[in-house]
Amino acid sequence: MSATSKPAASAEDIEAAWNDNKLAQVLYHDWEASTYDEKWSISYDERCVDYARDRFTAVAGSRGWPYGKSLEIGAGTGFFTLNLKLAGVLDEAHVTDLSPGMVEAAKKNAKTLGFAIEGQVADAEKLPYDDDTFDLVIGHAVIHHIPDVELAFREMLRVLKPGGRFVICGEPTRYGDFVARRLSRFTWWATTNVTKLPALAHWRRPQEELDESSRAAALEAVVDLHTFDPDTLARMATRAGASQVKTVTEELLAAWVGWPIRTFEAAVPEQKLGFGWRMFAYKSWLQLSKVDKVLSTVVPDELYYNVSITGVAQ
């Protein structure tokens, strides 16, 4: 589905969203649901299976696989749950999201893959499940959207069985997000202005699509509530009642290159960028991630872009 076929977010929508964050979350993510996988180059193949498994393993290891019954909060289109299921990390899968559109997209993706998953609309601050229900609670790039993060941790721990584990990956750090957003803004400005030149006009998206991307960026600023210092995040999970809390940070150079690449992709016509470009972007990210791991021995963790956290219910 093209960007122009989505229901547009009007100026009135954005104004209302500024005054009601839960409405903003639903509005933005419902609007993004039909094209979210395309926007973030999400797939359910070796590339994304490896990515999801490696993010999980980096912070939580590989013991105890498969987890019997898992719940994902803020599951979006099912990227994390479905790829972890393909990787053999988890068995029975349940997904939740505040956005009805995202829940439906996740269930549709699961059906396409031949999976049966349970999904329902739910607020991570008030999960509609009994105590001691799940062996694993997961999330990917989700808690920075939640107004009360510590309350969300308490809810994760409540629905986990004693000894059950939560694993939250892909959250933005304070410094990493600061750098990434500025690189993205510069890339957007440079690409949209250079493609105004007559010789490069065929690389420019229609103005209607560019305007809609700008509206998306405005709503994204509303729904992105937090950035995290790894140590502060760990203390928050501990206060909520978690034990064996651990954080890991990833992506330094990989983020500095990755975010401009993603922004460039959003600013030019999709048909201009084929499979070769996608593989170039992915392999570049892989190689830079390897360098980042080496640098992690000397670079402070708070300078990295992503932080992941895990803990165990007592």
Side-chain angles (χ1 to χ4, degrees):
M1 182 181 292
S2 69
T4 55
S5 63
K6 293 188 296 182
S10 67
E12 291 76 15
D13 290 332
I14 295 171
E15 181 62 30
W18 277 109
N19 299 311
D20 184 340
N21 188 262
K22 294 294 174 71
L23 169 64
Q25 301 289 350
V26 173
L27 177 67
Y28 175 76
H29 290 101
D30 271 355
W31 182 43
E32 289 281 276
S34 63
T35 55
Y36 193 79
D37 286 357
E38 174 189 312
K39 174 182 177 180
W40 295 104
S41 298
I42 289 173
S43 60
Y44 302 93
D45 54 19
E46 183 179 358
R47 178 176 63 91
C48 282
V49 170
D50 287 350
Y51 174 89
R53 182 189 59 244
D54 291 349
R55 299 292 75 69
F56 188 100
T57 304
V59 68
S62 57
R63 295 182 62 184
W65 296 6
Y67 290 86
K69 189 173 183 179
S70 72
L71 170 70
E72 182 171 5
I73 62 169
T77 60
F79 157 76
F80 207 38
T81 285
L82 297 180
N83 280 302
L84 289 178
K85 186 169 174 63
L86 288 168
V89 176
L90 54 89
D91 186 13
E92 181 184 335
H94 296 248
V95 299
T96 63
D97 200 286
L98 199 60
S99 158
M102 287 294 190
V103 173
E104 287 306 309
K107 292 166 72 174
K108 181 178 179 181
N109 282 337
K111 185 176 180 180
T112 298
L113 293 168
F115 297 153
I117 67 168
E118 296 294 327
Q120 62 176 300
V121 176
D123 188 336
E125 294 178 358
K126 191 176 182 181
L127 294 170
Y129 300 99
D130 293 336
D131 297 358
D132 308 337
T133 298
F134 298 97
D135 302 292
L136 175 69
V137 174
I138 58 175
H140 186 275
V142 57
I143 61 173
H144 69 283
H145 293 309
I146 299 173
D148 192 334
V149 177
E150 190 168 329
L151 177 57
F153 277 132
R154 291 195 197 103
E155 280 292 278
M156 294 181 223
L157 293 164
R158 179 184 65 78
V159 302
L160 279 169
K161 299 173 184 178
R165 179 177 295 278
F166 70 82
V167 179
I168 306 296
C169 298
E171 298 298 335
T173 65
R174 185 172 301 125
Y175 178 80
D177 185 72
F178 177 87
V179 174
R181 287 187 182 276
R182 277 150 186 80
L183 288 172
S184 291
R185 288 170 189 162
F186 174 76
T187 303
W188 180 265
W189 174 85
T191 304
T192 54
N193 278 279
V194 167
T195 53
K196 288 179 182 179
L197 298 173
L200 296 175
H202 58 292
W203 278 89
R204 185 174 176 81
R205 278 190 183 267
Q207 190 60 44
E208 180 183 354
E209 294 182 15
L210 293 174
D211 290 344
E212 186 154 352
S213 290
S214 295
R215 287 193 292 271
L219 271 178
E220 191 170 35
V222 179
V223 301
D224 288 351
L225 299 177
H226 310 288
T227 56
F228 300 103
D229 171 78
D231 291 339
T232 302
L233 184 63
R235 287 194 293 270
M236 189 182 300
T238 301
R239 284 198 306 271
S243 64
Q244 301 176 43
V245 175
K246 175 186 176 182
T247 63
V248 169
T249 53
E250 300 177 284
E251 294 192 29
L252 180 68
L253 301 178
W256 294 356
V257 171
W259 275 101
I261 285 176
R262 294 185 189 107
T263 305
F264 173 74
E265 290 171 347
V268 302
E270 181 187 356
Q271 63 270 23
K272 291 290 185 182
L273 304 174
F275 178 77
W277 167 266
R278 301 291 183 191
M279 290 309 298
F280 158 75
Y282 176 58
K283 289 181 179 179
S284 296
W285 179 86
L286 280 179
Q287 294 303 314
L288 289 171
S289 293
K290 291 178 182 178
V291 176
D292 289 343
K293 288 180 181 179
V294 175
L295 293 176
S296 66
T297 59
V298 294
V299 176
D301 60 359
E302 61 268 21
L303 300 185
Y304 280 70
Y305 176 73
N306 278 326
V307 58
S308 298
I309 184 168
T310 189
V312 173
Q314 303 185 60

mmCIF file of all heavy atoms in Angstrom, residues 293-313:
data_model
loop_
_atom_site.group_PDB
_atom_site.id
_atom_site.type_symbol
_atom_site.label_atom_id
_atom_site.label_comp_id
_atom_site.label_asym_id
_atom_site.label_seq_id
_atom_site.Cartn_x
_atom_site.Cartn_y
_atom_site.Cartn_z
ATOM 1 N N LYS A 293 31.006 -3.335 18.505
ATOM 2 C CA LYS A 293 31.273 -4.284 19.592
ATOM 3 C C LYS A 293 32.711 -4.166 20.088
ATOM 4 O O LYS A 293 32.975 -4.269 21.287
ATOM 5 C CB LYS A 293 30.978 -5.707 19.115
ATOM 6 C CG LYS A 293 29.495 -5.998 18.963
ATOM 7 C CD LYS A 293 29.251 -7.425 18.496
ATOM 8 C CE LYS A 293 27.755 -7.689 18.332
ATOM 9 N NZ LYS A 293 27.481 -9.070 17.857
ATOM 10 N N VAL A 294 33.630 -3.948 19.156
ATOM 11 C CA VAL A 294 35.023 -3.764 19.540
ATOM 12 C C VAL A 294 35.188 -2.460 20.320
ATOM 13 O O VAL A 294 35.860 -2.409 21.355
ATOM 14 C CB VAL A 294 35.938 -3.764 18.292
ATOM 15 C CG1 VAL A 294 37.377 -3.451 18.678
ATOM 16 C CG2 VAL A 294 35.855 -5.109 17.576
ATOM 17 N N LEU A 295 34.531 -1.419 19.844
ATOM 18 C CA LEU A 295 34.637 -0.114 20.500
ATOM 19 C C LEU A 295 34.006 -0.104 21.883
ATOM 20 O O LEU A 295 34.348 0.750 22.723
ATOM 21 C CB LEU A 295 33.972 0.957 19.626
ATOM 22 C CG LEU A 295 34.650 1.274 18.291
ATOM 23 C CD1 LEU A 295 33.816 2.285 17.511
ATOM 24 C CD2 LEU A 295 36.062 1.823 18.517
ATOM 25 N N SER A 296 33.075 -1.038 22.130
ATOM 26 C CA SER A 296 32.353 -1.044 23.401
ATOM 27 C C SER A 296 33.275 -1.243 24.599
ATOM 28 O O SER A 296 32.910 -0.927 25.737
ATOM 29 C CB SER A 296 31.279 -2.128 23.402
ATOM 30 O OG SER A 296 31.867 -3.421 23.361
ATOM 31 N N THR A 297 34.477 -1.746 24.366
ATOM 32 C CA THR A 297 35.426 -1.937 25.471
ATOM 33 C C THR A 297 36.022 -0.612 25.946
ATOM 34 O O THR A 297 36.564 -0.540 27.054
ATOM 35 C CB THR A 297 36.567 -2.879 25.054
ATOM 36 O OG1 THR A 297 37.259 -2.321 23.923
ATOM 37 C CG2 THR A 297 36.022 -4.246 24.671
ATOM 38 N N VAL A 298 35.923 0.418 25.111
ATOM 39 C CA VAL A 298 36.524 1.703 25.478
ATOM 40 C C VAL A 298 35.523 2.866 25.437
ATOM 41 O O VAL A 298 35.787 3.919 26.022
ATOM 42 C CB VAL A 298 37.725 2.036 24.563
ATOM 43 C CG1 VAL A 298 38.850 1.050 24.793
ATOM 44 C CG2 VAL A 298 37.326 2.047 23.094
ATOM 45 N N VAL A 299 34.396 2.693 24.748
ATOM 46 C CA VAL A 299 33.404 3.761 24.625
ATOM 47 C C VAL A 299 32.336 3.596 25.699
ATOM 48 O O VAL A 299 31.800 2.492 25.869
ATOM 49 C CB VAL A 299 32.747 3.742 23.228
ATOM 50 C CG1 VAL A 299 31.647 4.795 23.139
ATOM 51 C CG2 VAL A 299 33.797 3.986 22.147
ATOM 52 N N PRO A 300 31.991 4.636 26.455
ATOM 53 C CA PRO A 300 30.952 4.531 27.491
ATOM 54 C C PRO A 300 29.618 4.060 26.913
ATOM 55 O O PRO A 300 29.237 4.474 25.808
ATOM 56 C CB PRO A 300 30.849 5.962 28.024
ATOM 57 C CG PRO A 300 32.171 6.583 27.716
ATOM 58 C CD PRO A 300 32.599 5.973 26.416
ATOM 59 N N ASP A 301 28.899 3.205 27.646
ATOM 60 C CA ASP A 301 27.681 2.614 27.108
ATOM 61 C C ASP A 301 26.601 3.637 26.810
ATOM 62 O O ASP A 301 25.791 3.452 25.897
ATOM 63 C CB ASP A 301 27.141 1.518 28.035
ATOM 64 C CG ASP A 301 26.808 2.017 29.434
ATOM 65 O OD1 ASP A 301 27.008 3.211 29.717
ATOM 66 O OD2 ASP A 301 26.349 1.186 30.240
ATOM 67 N N GLU A 302 26.582 4.754 27.550
ATOM 68 C CA GLU A 302 25.537 5.740 27.331
ATOM 69 C C GLU A 302 25.662 6.473 25.996
ATOM 70 O O GLU A 302 24.746 7.181 25.579
ATOM 71 C CB GLU A 302 25.494 6.759 28.471
ATOM 72 C CG GLU A 302 26.754 7.584 28.659
ATOM 73 C CD GLU A 302 27.719 6.967 29.651
ATOM 74 O OE1 GLU A 302 27.634 5.740 29.891
ATOM 75 O OE2 GLU A 302 28.564 7.712 30.186
ATOM 76 N N LEU A 303 26.799 6.318 25.302
ATOM 77 C CA LEU A 303 26.969 6.962 23.996
ATOM 78 C C LEU A 303 26.352 6.140 22.866
ATOM 79 O O LEU A 303 26.152 6.650 21.761
ATOM 80 C CB LEU A 303 28.453 7.194 23.703
ATOM 81 C CG LEU A 303 29.208 8.089 24.689
ATOM 82 C CD1 LEU A 303 30.629 8.333 24.192
ATOM 83 C CD2 LEU A 303 28.485 9.421 24.896
ATOM 84 N N TYR A 304 26.052 4.877 23.119
ATOM 85 C CA TYR A 304 25.446 4.023 22.096
ATOM 86 C C TYR A 304 23.978 4.371 21.905
ATOM 87 O O TYR A 304 23.340 4.937 22.796
ATOM 88 C CB TYR A 304 25.621 2.546 22.474
ATOM 89 C CG TYR A 304 27.005 2.020 22.145
ATOM 90 C CD1 TYR A 304 28.120 2.450 22.860
ATOM 91 C CD2 TYR A 304 27.209 1.132 21.102
ATOM 92 C CE1 TYR A 304 29.390 1.992 22.555
ATOM 93 C CE2 TYR A 304 28.474 0.660 20.787
ATOM 94 C CZ TYR A 304 29.563 1.098 21.516
ATOM 95 O OH TYR A 304 30.816 0.651 21.192
ATOM 96 N N TYR A 305 23.430 3.994 20.751
ATOM 97 C CA TYR A 305 22.056 4.391 20.422
ATOM 98 C C TYR A 305 21.010 3.551 21.135
ATOM 99 O O TYR A 305 20.025 4.060 21.665
ATOM 100 C CB TYR A 305 21.811 4.325 18.915
ATOM 101 C CG TYR A 305 20.374 4.644 18.576
ATOM 102 C CD1 TYR A 305 19.898 5.951 18.674
ATOM 103 C CD2 TYR A 305 19.480 3.635 18.209
ATOM 104 C CE1 TYR A 305 18.577 6.244 18.417
ATOM 105 C CE2 TYR A 305 18.161 3.929 17.940
ATOM 106 C CZ TYR A 305 17.702 5.238 18.051
ATOM 107 O OH TYR A 305 16.404 5.518 17.799
ATOM 108 N N ASN A 306 21.161 2.222 21.125
ATOM 109 C CA ASN A 306 20.148 1.325 21.670
ATOM 110 C C ASN A 306 20.533 0.813 23.039
ATOM 111 O O ASN A 306 21.675 0.461 23.281
ATOM 112 C CB ASN A 306 19.970 0.093 20.750
ATOM 113 C CG ASN A 306 19.057 0.389 19.582
ATOM 114 O OD1 ASN A 306 18.124 1.158 19.702
ATOM 115 N ND2 ASN A 306 19.329 -0.249 18.450
ATOM 116 N N VAL A 307 19.533 0.723 23.917
ATOM 117 C CA VAL A 307 19.729 0.016 25.181
ATOM 118 C C VAL A 307 18.664 -1.080 25.280
ATOM 119 O O VAL A 307 17.503 -0.870 24.927
ATOM 120 C CB VAL A 307 19.640 0.964 26.393
ATOM 121 C CG1 VAL A 307 18.314 1.695 26.472
ATOM 122 C CG2 VAL A 307 19.906 0.196 27.691
ATOM 123 N N SER A 308 19.092 -2.267 25.704
ATOM 124 C CA SER A 308 18.185 -3.372 25.986
ATOM 125 C C SER A 308 18.280 -3.698 27.470
ATOM 126 O O SER A 308 19.325 -3.509 28.092
ATOM 127 C CB SER A 308 18.558 -4.603 25.150
ATOM 128 O OG SER A 308 18.441 -4.343 23.766
ATOM 129 N N ILE A 309 17.182 -4.214 28.017
ATOM 130 C CA ILE A 309 17.149 -4.519 29.446
ATOM 131 C C ILE A 309 16.413 -5.822 29.682
ATOM 132 O O ILE A 309 15.445 -6.146 28.988
ATOM 133 C CB ILE A 309 16.495 -3.364 30.240
ATOM 134 C CG1 ILE A 309 16.543 -3.639 31.745
ATOM 135 C CG2 ILE A 309 15.055 -3.104 29.779
ATOM 136 C CD1 ILE A 309 16.180 -2.431 32.604
ATOM 137 N N THR A 310 16.884 -6.578 30.644
ATOM 138 C CA THR A 310 16.207 -7.795 31.063
ATOM 139 C C THR A 310 16.180 -7.870 32.576
ATOM 140 O O THR A 310 16.974 -7.221 33.267
ATOM 141 C CB THR A 310 16.904 -9.056 30.493
ATOM 142 O OG1 THR A 310 16.100 -10.211 30.738
ATOM 143 C CG2 THR A 310 18.281 -9.275 31.105
ATOM 144 N N GLY A 311 15.235 -8.644 33.094
ATOM 145 C CA GLY A 311 15.120 -8.876 34.521
ATOM 146 C C GLY A 311 14.225 -10.070 34.761
ATOM 147 O O GLY A 311 13.568 -10.576 33.849
ATOM 148 N N VAL A 312 14.194 -10.520 36.006
ATOM 149 C CA VAL A 312 13.470 -11.741 36.363
ATOM 150 C C VAL A 312 12.457 -11.422 37.454
ATOM 151 O O VAL A 312 12.742 -10.643 38.378
ATOM 152 C CB VAL A 312 14.446 -12.827 36.840
ATOM 153 C CG1 VAL A 312 13.714 -14.054 37.387
ATOM 154 C CG2 VAL A 312 15.367 -13.243 35.679
ATOM 155 N N ALA A 313 11.271 -12.019 37.336
ATOM 156 C CA ALA A 313 10.228 -11.859 38.359
ATOM 157 C C ALA A 313 10.564 -12.705 39.585
ATOM 158 O O ALA A 313 11.010 -13.850 39.453
ATOM 159 C CB ALA A 313 8.877 -12.266 37.793
#
